[in-house]
Amino acid sequence: MGKFKLDEIDHQILDMLIDNTRIPFTDIAKKLLISAGTVHVRVKKMEEAGIIKGSSLTLDYKKLGYSFIAYVGVFLQNTSQTKFVLERINNIPFVTVAHITTGKFNIFCKIRAKDTMHAKEIIFKLDDIDGVYRTETMISLEESINDKKRLMHTIFNEL
């Protein structure tokens, strides 16, 4: 499939959906002075083109008791063990993100925990996976920037 062309209306629809994935199409339509059917058709086309992939829910992890964030770099004994190790990492629910990387680490993970003791348990589980040589942990003191809109607007400006 060729490159999907987004126009200004598409940009505005995406902008509103990033702010609130649950916003009704009728509300978007009213704000953009177009029909709800037009919004529905445009969103459907963006979904079919793979530009929109589902929607997400943002949780307040602090209120749920999981405010501790750490990043763990995983060193493997052999890169051929990557798939095996990732399968084991996937079984640890507190590892919320894992990337295969170049550079210093073979795999880079984000973990979310209740506190330092809980984080230690999670890190020890990572260390105990067969094929993991060692780990290196960085504690997040604060998430200072988490802004999907800036990137989206930069991408739109380049199109």
Side-chain angles (χ1 to χ4, degrees):
M1 179 185 292
K3 189 174 177 181
F4 187 85
K5 291 285 187 191
L6 298 171
D7 65 15
E8 186 57 32
I9 297 291
D10 295 324
H11 295 181
Q12 291 174 351
I13 291 169
L14 288 171
D15 205 35
M16 287 185 227
L17 287 172
I18 283 177
D19 275 342
N20 177 7
T21 58
R22 298 179 62 172
I23 187 171
F25 289 172
T26 52
D27 290 0
I28 294 172
K30 285 177 190 171
K31 289 179 183 173
L32 299 181
L33 304 174
I34 58 177
S35 75
T38 299
V39 174
H40 177 77
V41 167
R42 285 173 176 259
V43 169
K44 183 91 172 136
K45 283 183 180 179
M46 288 187 277
E47 287 173 340
E48 289 170 357
I51 292 168
I52 295 176
K53 293 186 175 196
S55 60
S56 65
L57 181 68
T58 303
L59 298 176
D60 187 331
Y61 287 102
K62 281 184 183 177
K63 289 182 180 175
L64 295 170
Y66 286 82
S67 60
F68 190 93
I69 298 171
Y71 296 91
V72 182
V74 179
F75 295 86
L76 301 180
Q77 291 168 348
N78 296 300
T79 56
S80 62
Q81 298 168 302
T82 303
K83 184 178 177 187
F84 173 84
V85 171
L86 281 170
E87 288 169 356
R88 300 311 172 275
I89 289 172
N90 193 46
N91 292 326
I92 304 171
F94 306 104
V95 177
T96 60
V97 179
H99 294 272
I100 298 171
T101 59
T102 61
K104 188 174 182 179
F105 311 113
N106 298 99
I107 300 171
F108 196 69
C109 302
K110 178 180 180 180
I111 66 167
R112 194 170 279 278
K114 295 176 186 177
D115 52 33
T116 55
M117 291 299 292
H118 186 218
K120 181 180 84 169
E121 293 170 16
I122 298 164
I123 294 163
F124 283 6
K125 284 182 183 182
L126 288 168
D127 274 327
D128 286 343
I129 296 171
D130 287 337
V132 172
Y133 171 63
R134 71 181 186 91
T135 60
E136 187 174 308
T137 304
M138 292 151 276
I139 296 171
S140 172
L141 300 175
E142 173 185 305
E143 185 175 86
S144 303
I145 299 172
N146 185 348
D147 185 356
K148 297 173 190 160
K149 286 184 105 176
R150 284 185 310 126
L151 175 59
M152 183 184 74
H153 288 293
T154 301
I155 291 168
F156 290 166
N157 289 333
E158 290 176 356
L159 295 177

